[in-house]
Amino acid sequence: MNISTLITPEFVFFLLIWISVSGVAFRKARRSKRAQNQIVDALDREGLRDWHRIYISRTPFFRKWLKFTTYETRGILINLPDAIRLIAEWPSGERIDQIFPKSSMHLRWHGISGGIASSKLHWIAIGSTDSPLMLSADKGFNAMQSREATADLCRRINPDYLLPDIAKSEFALEKNPASLIIVTTFFLLLAFALIDGKFLNKYEWVRTTSNTWLLMPGMQIVMLLALPVYWWLSKSKVPPMESLTLSWLIAITLGFAYIPAIKRVDQLLSAEGPQSYAYRLGDDGFLTPVSDGPPNIDYKNRKEYWNQFEENSIHQFNLVHGPLGLWQLDHSELEKKMQQFYEQRRKSKH
């Protein structure tokens, strides 16, 4: 496949969006990291040692579904004997230096946030139930350690807090009905695309200008199905990162299964079934139909085989033509003959 066919306007559009979003997220991460390091330098001068790097988000920001990063800023949590102290700088430049007494900080486990920028970070909440501050252990680029690190932070600041079971182990795809359905569907679609598309279906789609419209628009529609799958998984309490991964896997496998599926549908809906059509041999394996209707058949990649026949000789081919407008060629018997021809040709050279 020519790479230029993949670089569509839609591809360029989404690539530019991805570059822009990544650039904004990178600048925000670098700015908040610099502010966090300045706080650490100040704590070292004060002689404080029991402190932890954290991500912080206020409730309005945390509840946004569409955001560049899941955290609002980076900060420091200082574990004092009877309280915790939070120091950070918001993106606006406003500084926070707040103390929460442990007896009234209302610590609770939240887990992974919603939205497409979740990054697998796990969160805890402190403060009021209406507008709490959301905290997550800052492990840098290693977000896979977020659950354990945030759970350890909970134990550190409040040893008596009972962590829920969900905080003690990673999400298991097989234990959630929705994710299990999607995983099962993924393997079924993949098996269908590989087995039927490569081995069981003996018919090959002969592409023509009149039916190529089924390819790209159909593939784009299939890829858009990732959106409702993601929404359903999110509503079924599947974490955002797993939801995003599974929805894209389903979209990709639907793309693989799309062509084999429409070939089967067109075969089943064909009123006449397989029909024999006469073709005239041209130069180097290019065959044209004797009667109007069927498409040309290009076997130029096997021209050695066709050179054994006289030019303008007539050959019969079985094709299926259904209501979707596809022309599908049964080349199973011909492939056997070609294989025998090239095998004998190879032996004759030795």
Side-chain angles (χ1 to χ4, degrees):
M1 179 181 291
N2 192 333
I3 190 65
S4 62
T5 61
L6 298 177
I7 306 178
T8 62
E10 294 84 358
F11 174 82
V12 174
F13 174 73
F14 285 112
L15 179 62
L16 291 175
I17 291 179
W18 180 82
I19 293 174
S20 301
V21 170
S22 299
V24 172
F26 176 76
R27 288 194 296 272
K28 176 180 178 179
R30 186 173 60 179
R31 183 173 60 249
S32 63
K33 189 67 174 179
R34 184 167 56 247
Q36 186 186 57
N37 289 334
Q38 291 173 352
I39 296 171
V40 170
D41 292 340
L43 294 179
D44 287 341
R45 290 192 294 270
E46 293 181 31
L48 295 171
R49 292 292 177 263
D50 192 3
W51 54 264
H52 307 269
R53 294 179 184 267
I54 58 172
Y55 296 113
I56 306 179
S57 288
R58 289 172 289 193
T59 301
F61 179 88
F62 188 79
R63 289 176 178 171
K64 287 181 179 179
W65 187 82
L66 185 61
K67 49 197 173 189
F68 296 130
T69 59
T70 192
Y71 64 91
E72 193 168 1
T73 191
R74 283 178 159 101
I76 297 296
L77 182 150
I78 305 170
N79 187 29
L80 303 172
D82 299 318
I84 61 170
R85 179 184 174 192
L86 299 181
I87 306 177
E89 183 179 295
W90 300 118
S92 63
E94 179 187 358
R95 189 178 178 86
I96 173 178
D97 189 343
Q98 192 170 354
I99 292 178
F100 292 83
K102 291 184 178 180
S103 59
S104 59
M105 67 177 174
H106 303 296
L107 174 65
R108 51 207 180 272
W109 181 267
H110 182 278
I112 294 181
S113 72
I116 60 176
S118 66
S119 302
K120 291 189 73 66
L121 294 181
H122 290 71
W123 296 82
I124 56 178
I126 61 171
S128 69
T129 56
D130 296 332
S131 184
L133 275 179
M134 309 301 296
L135 314 177
S136 178
D138 181 358
K139 300 301 293 182
F141 289 107
N142 196 355
M144 297 298 293
Q145 296 183 3
S146 176
R147 180 192 58 79
E148 288 184 350
T150 305
D152 290 344
L153 183 62
C154 274
R155 297 184 182 101
R156 183 71 177 169
I157 63 178
N158 188 354
D160 296 329
Y161 179 71
L162 296 177
L163 286 167
D165 292 339
I166 194 173
K168 300 175 183 178
S169 61
E170 298 295 339
F171 176 79
L173 294 175
E174 69 277 7
K175 293 183 179 179
N176 183 285
S179 60
L180 181 59
I181 289 173
I182 294 300
V183 169
T184 303
T185 304
F186 164 76
F187 283 109
L188 290 175
L189 287 171
L190 187 61
F192 169 75
L194 292 176
I195 297 173
D196 190 76
K198 294 295 183 182
F199 303 106
L200 296 183
N201 195 344
K202 64 180 181 179
Y203 289 94
E204 178 184 358
W205 179 12
V206 182
R207 306 287 173 83
T208 66
T209 55
S210 62
N211 59 37
T212 51
W213 67 270
L214 283 167
L215 186 58
M216 289 310 297
M219 293 290 286
Q220 291 170 351
I221 292 172
V222 163
M223 297 300 286
L224 286 175
L225 291 176
L227 298 177
V229 171
Y230 177 85
W231 177 85
W232 179 60
L233 288 171
S234 299
K235 293 297 182 181
S236 302
K237 298 182 179 179
V238 179
M241 188 58 67
E242 283 79 359
S243 296
L244 184 62
T245 302
L246 289 175
S247 60
W248 275 113
L249 283 176
I250 282 292
I252 292 171
T253 50
L254 280 171
F256 287 142
Y258 173 71
I259 298 300
I262 63 172
K263 286 171 61 179
R264 284 297 187 185
V265 170
D266 208 37
Q267 292 170 25
L268 293 172
L269 297 179
S270 176
E272 299 176 345
Q275 299 291 313
S276 181
Y277 296 90
Y279 276 77
R280 179 174 287 106
L281 177 63
D283 294 334
D284 295 329
F286 189 81
L287 297 109
T288 56
V290 174
S291 303
D292 293 336
N296 297 329
I297 299 177
D298 187 354
Y299 268 117
K300 288 184 177 180
N301 60 333
R302 301 291 183 91
K303 61 182 181 180
E304 296 86 0
Y305 173 83
W306 293 102
N307 286 341
Q308 66 179 313
F309 302 105
E310 292 184 5
E311 190 173 349
N312 294 322
S313 58
I314 302 300
H315 303 266
Q316 296 294 132
F317 292 93
N318 289 332
L319 292 98
V320 173
H321 184 52
L324 295 181
L326 305 185
W327 285 94
Q328 299 184 58
L329 169 65
D330 178 3
H331 58 84
S332 55
E333 293 300 323
L334 180 59
E335 285 295 329
K336 293 178 183 178
K337 294 178 181 179
M338 287 183 176
Q339 187 176 359
Q340 292 174 356
F341 170 82
Y342 284 104
E343 181 66 20
Q344 292 174 358
R345 190 167 179 263
R346 184 184 64 82
K347 289 180 180 179
S348 65
K349 291 182 178 180
H350 293 284

